[in-house]
DNA sequence: AACATATAAATTGTCGACATATTAGGCTCC
DNA sequence: GGAGCCTAATATGTCGACAATTTATATGTT
C-alpha cells in the first residue's frame, strides 16, 4: 500500500529531509489533516516541521507534480479541492490505465504471483462472509488486489503512474467523501472473474473485465454522491 | 506543440525564474543538447545559466517528476537513458491513454472542433502528395493531430498526463533515435478512418482505431530499431 | 459611509553560505 | 604492481537572509 517500497531507493527509509517531509505532507493531505482547498503557508509549515523553507518548497513542488496541491506564481499553494467532475476524470484514466495493466498482467505475471493473488482473493472471500459490516478491510483488500495486478504488468512506467500518482489522489477522494462501499460482495465476484481470465492467460478478456469492473465501481460512486 | 500555452497560467510568459529554467532545460534535454545519461552538475549548470543553485534544484525536481532526469540522494541527477524496453512501455501507455482520449473526443468534441480537424487533415494530405520526402512536417502533423484529439477529450487530467508528461518523453525518443517514418501515407489513412469514427460520434470504434493506429506505429518503430 | 489611494506587513522568489556526504587522489603496505 | 586506507576536493543537502510581489491596513476624499 505504501508507495516508497517498490519505487524508491534501496535504503530502508528516505534519507533526505525533503523526502521525509514529502511523505509526511502527502499523508496529511491524503487523509485530510490539511483541509482541501486550504492555503499552504510556507513560513508556518516550515516552522511547524522545524525545517527550512527551501526544503519545504521542494516538497511542495513534488506534491504539485502529483496534483495534490495547486500553485500559482507569487501567490502560493493550495491543497486541491476535489470536485465531482475531477473524480470522473480520474476514473476514466483508471479505466484506461488499469485495463492496460491487467492486459499486460495476464501476459507477464509469473505463475507464482498468480497463485499468491488467488490466495489473497480467498482471504477476502472469507473476510466478507465473517464480517460483512467491516468495510475498511474490504477497501484495503480492493486496493491490495488492484495494486498487485498493476505490479504484475511489469511496466515500470505504468506502475509509477498508477501507484505513485493516481492512487494517492484516489485515496484522498475516499477520505474526503467517506466512501463506504456496499458492494464488496459484487466487487469480490468481479475480482474472481477477472482473476480467472488472468489464470487463463487471456489478455483481451482480462482487460475487458477490469474496465467493466472500474466502470461498475464508478457508477457506484456516482450513485453514492448523488444520494447525499 | 508547446506545452505552456494550454496548461499553464494566464500570463504571456512564465514569470518565475524556475519556470523559465525548467522550460529551457526541458527543451535542451528533449532535443539532445544535454546528452542522455550525462550527469547534471548543479554548480556548473547554475553558473552557465546565471542562476542560484536553489532555483536550479527546483527546476531539476520538476524534470524528475516528468521522468526526464533520474535523481539519487546525495549522488546527483542524470538525464534519463532511453532503452528499447522503456520505449515499448511508453507506447503501451499511449495506447491506453490516447485510446480513452479518442473515445471521449468522439463524445465531447464540438462540431466546430471536428471541422477544424478535418481541415487540418486535408492539409496533411496535400503536403504528402506535394513533398513526399519532407518527413519533418509529417511528424509535426502527426503530433498536431494527436494533440487536438487529446484536447478534444475535455478531460483535463488526461490532457495534462499526455501533453505535459508523455509527449515530451516521446519527442526525446524521436530526437535521440532520429526517427524518420516511411509510413506517413499509411498514418494519414489511419487518421482518416479515425476521424470518420469521430464524425460519426462512435466512441467505441474511435477508441479501437486509435489503439490500432498506435500499435501500428509501435510496430513500425520496433522494425526501425531492429534494422539498425 | 463608501471608494480609491497610499503605506505597511506578510508572503513568495532568489540568493549565497555552511553542513554533510561522496568522489578523487595519493600514500602505505603487502 | 595492485589493493586498501587516509586525506583533500568536490558535490549535494540544508539553512538563513535579502529582494520583489502580493495582501492587508490605514488614510484621505467625495
Amino acid at each position: 500500500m505504501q508507495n516508497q517500497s517498490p519505487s524508491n531507493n534501496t535504503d530502508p527509509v528516505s534519507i533526505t529531509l525533503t523526502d521525509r517531509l514529502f511523505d509526511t505532507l502527502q499523508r496529511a493531505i491524503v487523509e485530510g489533516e490539511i483541509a482541501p482547498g486550504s492555503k499552504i503557508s510556507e513560513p508556518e509549515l516550515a516552522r511547524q516541521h522545524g525545517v527550512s523553507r527551501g526544503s519545504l518548497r521542494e516538497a511542495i513542488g513534488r506534491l504539485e507534480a502529483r496534483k495534490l496541491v495547486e500553485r500559482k506564481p507569487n501567490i502560493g499553494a493550495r491543497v486541491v479541492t476535489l470536485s465531482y467532475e475531477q473524480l470522473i476524470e480520474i476514473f476514466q484514466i483508471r479505466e484506461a490505465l488499469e485495463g492496460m495493466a491487467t492486459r499486460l498482467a495476464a501476459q507477464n505475471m509469473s505463475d507464482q504471483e498468480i497463485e499468491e493473488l488467488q490466495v489473497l482473493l480467498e482471504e477476502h472471500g472469507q473476510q466478507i462472509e465473517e464480517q460483512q459490516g467491516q468495510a475498511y478491510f474490504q477497501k484495503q483488500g480492493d486496493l491490495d488486489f488492484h495494486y498487485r495486478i498493476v505490479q504484475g504488468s511489469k511496466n515500470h512506467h505504468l506502475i509509477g503512474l498508477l501507484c505513485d500518482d493516481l492512487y494517492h489522489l484516489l485515496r484522498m477522494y475516499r477520505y474526503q467523501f467517506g466512501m463506504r462501499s456496499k458492494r464488496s460482495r459484487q466487487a469480490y465476484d468481479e475480482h474472481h472473474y477477472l482473476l480467472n481470465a488472468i489464470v487463463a492467460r487471456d489478455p483481451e478478456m482480462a482487460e475487458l473485465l477490469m474496465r467493466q469492473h472500474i466502470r461498475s465501481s464508478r457508477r457506484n460512486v456516482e450513485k453514492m454522491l448523488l444520494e447525499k
Side-chain angles (χ1 to χ4, degrees), chain A:
Chain A
M1 167 195 162
Q2 291 306 57
N3 75 310
Q4 70 181 38
S5 22
S7 62
N8 285 12
N9 52 49
T10 57
D11 299 296
V13 290
S14 308
I15 314 272
T16 142
L17 224 183
T18 302
D19 285 338
R20 282 198 299 271
L21 236 186
F22 170 70
D23 287 343
T24 302
L25 291 179
Q26 175 169 252
R27 200 188 47 75
I29 289 177
V30 166
E31 299 182 2
E33 282 177 29
I34 306 179
S38 64
K39 184 166 182 344
I40 293 181
S41 165
E42 292 184 4
E44 188 181 335
L45 251 193
R47 190 183 47 76
Q48 283 181 5
H49 293 263
V51 301
S52 138
R53 265 187 59 225
S55 304
L56 177 66
R57 280 172 64 83
E58 291 203 18
I60 293 180
R62 287 201 224 171
L63 293 171
E64 185 189 16
R66 293 198 176 180
K67 311 286 183 188
L68 290 173
V69 309
E70 288 171 349
R71 199 179 219 171
K72 289 180 183 176
N74 286 315
I75 292 197
R78 307 190 85 90
V79 179
V80 287
T81 19
L82 310 169
S83 68
Y84 178 78
E85 289 75 19
Q86 277 183 301
L87 184 56
I88 300 299
E89 287 191 3
I90 304 270
F91 267 96
Q92 288 170 342
I93 294 173
R94 267 192 77 194
E95 180 184 331
L97 249 28
E98 291 200 37
M100 174 59 75
T102 309
R103 167 187 290 265
L104 295 173
Q107 300 173 221
N108 300 332
M109 277 182 96
S110 73
D111 292 336
Q112 185 184 346
E113 285 173 319
I114 294 180
E115 282 178 32
E116 290 171 1
L117 198 49
Q118 285 176 312
V119 171
L120 182 72
L121 194 54
E122 282 316 311
E123 291 177 5
H124 292 174
Q126 287 182 358
Q127 284 186 356
I128 288 181
E129 300 215 349
E130 292 170 5
Q131 39 176 10
Q132 30 186 334
Q134 267 292 19
Y136 171 75
F137 289 107
Q138 257 80 59
K139 265 297 161 236
Q140 194 57 35
D142 185 78
L143 279 181
D144 276 359
F145 187 82
H146 284 253
Y147 198 88
R148 291 219 197 179
I149 288 184
V150 171
Q151 299 285 338
S153 75
K154 306 290 167 70
N155 181 325
H156 300 88
H157 203 119
L158 180 56
I159 293 170
L161 230 45
L162 282 168
C163 300
D164 291 345
D165 296 344
L166 259 195
Y167 283 172
H168 293 286
L169 254 182
L170 201 60
R171 284 201 302 139
M172 183 173 174
Y173 278 92
R174 292 230 168 89
Y175 271 98
Q176 177 161 355
F177 294 140
M179 295 177 180
R180 65 272 173 253
S181 80
K182 300 170 183 171
R183 60 175 219 104
S184 54
R185 174 74 212 184
Q186 187 189 344
Y188 170 75
D189 289 339
E190 289 173 2
H191 284 184
H192 222 66
Y193 302 143
L194 212 161
L195 185 50
N196 282 345
I198 291 182
V199 169
R201 301 285 187 187
D202 185 341
E204 195 76 28
M205 180 62 75
E207 173 169 14
L208 199 79
L209 288 174
M210 177 57 98
R211 291 185 66 158
Q212 277 187 243
H213 175 54
I214 292 178
R215 268 199 288 262
S216 164
S217 170
R218 190 194 69 190
R219 276 192 293 269
N220 182 58
V221 168
E222 290 175 9
K223 199 185 304 173
M224 271 174 51
L225 290 183
L226 292 180
E227 278 176 5
K228 288 196 171 179

